[in-house]
Amino acid sequence: MRAGVLSDDQIIVFLNENFINTWVPNSELGRVPSLREPIAKRRERESKAFDTTHALAQAIMKGWKKYSPADSLVLSTEFELLGRLPVNERTSPYNGANGYLLFLTEALDGKLPGFREETAKPSLEPDSESLPELDAVSKDSNVKLTSERPKREVLNIFRAPGNGLQDYTVIEIDTTAFKSGGLLTIDILVGNAEPKGSFDLYDDDTELPTQGMPHRALASAWDVPPGKRGTIKYRFNRGKIFKLGGTGSRFSQKGSVNAFWAKISVEPHQEAETGKVSSPRPEQSAEDTMNAFVKAFKNLDSEGVLSMVTGSAKGTFESDFEGMPEDVRAQISQILSHIKILSSEYVGDEFHFRLRVPGGAPPEVSAKMRKVEGMWLIYEVE
C-alpha cells in the first residue's frame, strides 16, 4: 500500500476491520537482484534463516507484477491471491483514496482486481484465428439462444480451488426457444495463464458440487491445457436451461486464475438429425467405419450404431438411446464423451480395434470387423 492513502481515516478503519496488514521489503524476497548476494551474506553472518518456500512468501512472489517497483497485494487466509495494485498503475478507477477502497472491496468480493487484465483476452494457438474483439463477446453470465440467434460467445475467468474441490464460474444457457430440442455445442478456449480448465454441463435444477467428482454432469471437457481447446456436445430432446461450470483442474495450483472463451451454439433438432452417422457403404474403409462407429456411440445415435454391427454384436447395442430417460441418458453421455481409440490393426481379412471408456465397466472394449456383403461391419464386441 502507499502512505498517501493511509491518511484517509475511512481506509484505515476498513483495513483494520478486514485485513491483517504488513509491509514486505522487496529485498527480503530477492526481488532486487543487486541486493541478493549482500542479504544472503548478512543472513549467513547473523545465522538468520529466511524460508522463501513458505506459502506466504510464495504467494507474495507469485503476485509480483513484472517491472513494478512495489505492489499492493491482497491474500486470503489460505494464501490465495485476491487482488494486486501495482504502485505505478493506480489509474482510474483505482486512483485516489476512493479508488484504493474500491480495489480492496473488489478483492474481498472475489473480483480479482489487477489480475483480470492478464486473463481477459487469452491468445489462441499460433496456427489458429485470433479471438474476436472483446466488445463483440458477451461478458454476461446468462446466454439466451434462439432460432434468430443460435450462437453466442462469452468470456470469463475461472479459479483453481485445489485438489478434490469445485469452485465453478457459472454460465447459464437458455435453450427454451428450441421446443423440439437440438444439439448443444460448446467450443471452449482456455487462456495462456497457468491453470488448466475443466468444464461441466448441468441441468438447471442440479445443485452444483463443491467437492468430489462431478457425477451429475451431463457432459464435460476436463483438463484443457492453457492455450488449447475443448468441446462439449450434448443432444437434448426439448428446450431447457443448462448451467456450464468452469473451474481450474484439480492438479492446478490452488488460487491460480485463467480465462476462458466459449462459443455456444445450438443446431435445432431437425438439422441435428441430418448430422447423424450414415449407414456404412461398400466403398467405406475399415478405418472410416471405426471412426463413424465411435462418433455414433459418443452421440448416442442408436440408429447409426446398429447400422454398423451384425451378428452377436447387435445384442450389445440393442438399447434405444433415443428412448432413454433424461437422467440415464445424461449419465451415459458423460461416460461416452471420453471414449478414445487405443489401437487398431488389420488381422488377416479382419480389422480389430480397442476403445478406452473412462468410467466404463470394463474400461476397455475390443471390437472385431469383417466384410459382410462388401461392407465393413462389427461382428464381435468384448
Side-chain angles (χ1 to χ4, degrees):
M1 68 185 70
R2 297 292 290 169
V5 298
L6 296 182
S7 62
D8 188 290
D9 292 340
Q10 183 183 10
I11 289 180
I12 292 296
V13 172
F14 191 80
L15 286 170
N16 288 337
E17 289 181 350
N18 295 280
F19 300 93
I20 297 173
N21 306 287
T22 187
W23 297 80
V24 180
N26 285 330
S27 56
E28 293 296 334
L29 294 178
R31 194 175 188 181
V32 183
S34 61
L35 295 179
R36 290 173 186 166
E37 185 176 350
I39 289 178
K41 290 181 177 179
R42 186 198 71 194
R43 289 176 181 159
E44 183 178 358
R45 184 173 61 252
E46 297 175 354
S47 299
K48 290 184 178 180
F50 194 91
D51 184 10
T52 57
T53 65
H54 188 279
L56 175 58
Q58 288 289 306
I60 292 171
M61 290 188 287
K62 185 177 179 62
W64 286 340
K65 179 68 178 287
K66 193 173 183 179
Y67 305 125
S68 173
D71 304 295
S72 293
L73 299 176
V74 178
L75 305 175
S76 73
T77 55
E78 296 181 337
F79 307 120
E80 298 175 351
L81 285 161
L82 301 180
R84 174 180 64 197
L85 185 58
V87 64
N88 290 339
E89 297 181 16
R90 291 191 59 215
T91 56
S92 180
Y94 302 120
N95 55 318
N98 289 336
Y100 194 76
L101 187 61
L102 174 64
F103 161 70
L104 296 174
T105 303
E106 287 189 350
L108 290 178
D109 290 342
K111 296 181 179 179
L112 303 174
F115 293 108
R116 288 173 297 193
E117 75 276 7
E118 293 186 353
T119 58
K121 189 177 180 181
S123 60
L124 299 179
E125 301 168 64
D127 58 349
S128 301
E129 298 178 358
S130 298
L131 276 174
E133 293 301 317
L134 292 187
D135 57 6
V137 181
S138 171
K139 305 178 187 68
D140 197 354
S141 58
N142 298 316
V143 172
K144 185 175 180 64
L145 301 175
T146 64
S147 56
E148 294 78 20
R149 195 175 183 185
K151 298 180 181 179
R152 295 287 301 276
E153 296 172 356
V154 297
L155 184 67
N156 217 311
I157 63 173
F158 62 79
R159 181 186 300 179
N163 193 6
L165 302 176
Q166 310 290 350
D167 182 14
Y168 287 116
T169 294
V170 180
I171 306 295
E172 183 179 284
I173 304 172
D174 186 344
T175 67
T176 53
F178 299 91
K179 303 297 184 182
S180 300
L183 178 64
L184 174 64
T185 301
I186 307 172
D187 292 313
I188 302 164
L189 174 67
V190 172
N192 285 330
E194 179 185 350
K196 296 179 180 180
S198 289
F199 304 88
D200 300 300
L201 183 70
Y202 292 93
D203 272 326
D204 181 50
D205 57 359
T206 299
E207 184 177 351
L208 303 188
T210 57
Q211 59 184 3
M213 294 294 291
H215 294 298
R216 299 189 66 188
L218 303 174
S220 303
W222 293 338
D223 297 327
V224 182
K228 301 297 182 181
R229 295 178 180 272
T231 301
I232 291 175
K233 289 182 179 289
Y234 182 73
R235 192 181 298 277
F236 58 100
N237 295 324
R238 64 182 184 279
K240 60 195 306 183
I241 295 176
F242 298 95
K243 291 184 289 193
L244 173 67
T247 185
S249 72
R250 58 172 50 202
F251 301 112
S252 296
Q253 182 175 346
K254 184 176 181 179
S256 55
V257 177
N258 206 347
F260 69 94
W261 168 82
K263 182 170 69 174
I264 305 170
S265 62
V266 167
E267 280 185 87
H269 188 69
Q270 295 83 353
E271 297 176 22
E273 287 295 314
T274 63
K276 285 192 171 186
V277 175
S278 59
S279 300
R281 302 177 302 277
E283 68 273 14
Q284 190 165 285
S285 68
E287 290 88 348
D288 288 342
T289 301
M290 173 185 68
N291 291 328
F293 172 79
V294 172
K295 179 180 178 181
F297 204 19
K298 284 184 175 182
N299 291 338
L300 299 179
D301 177 2
S302 57
E303 183 179 345
V305 168
L306 291 173
S307 71
M308 287 176 275
V309 296
T310 186
S312 62
K314 271 193 178 294
T316 307
F317 304 102
E318 60 186 0
S319 298
D320 182 4
F321 294 138
E322 305 301 330
M324 286 183 179
E326 190 73 17
D327 57 340
V328 176
R329 182 183 176 89
Q331 293 176 12
I332 294 179
S333 176
Q334 164 75 6
I335 295 173
L336 299 186
S337 64
H338 299 287
I339 287 179
K340 291 184 178 180
I341 299 173
L342 294 178
S343 64
S344 61
E345 61 177 344
Y346 285 92
V347 180
D349 294 334
E350 297 186 351
F351 184 80
H352 300 175
F353 62 92
R354 289 192 308 124
L355 302 177
R356 181 169 184 80
V357 187
E364 293 186 10
V365 175
S366 298
K368 297 179 180 180
M369 285 195 293
R370 62 189 173 199
K371 280 197 171 183
V372 178
E373 297 181 356
M375 294 180 293
W376 286 100
L377 296 177
I378 298 169
Y379 72 90
E380 182 178 303
V381 177
E382 57 183 15

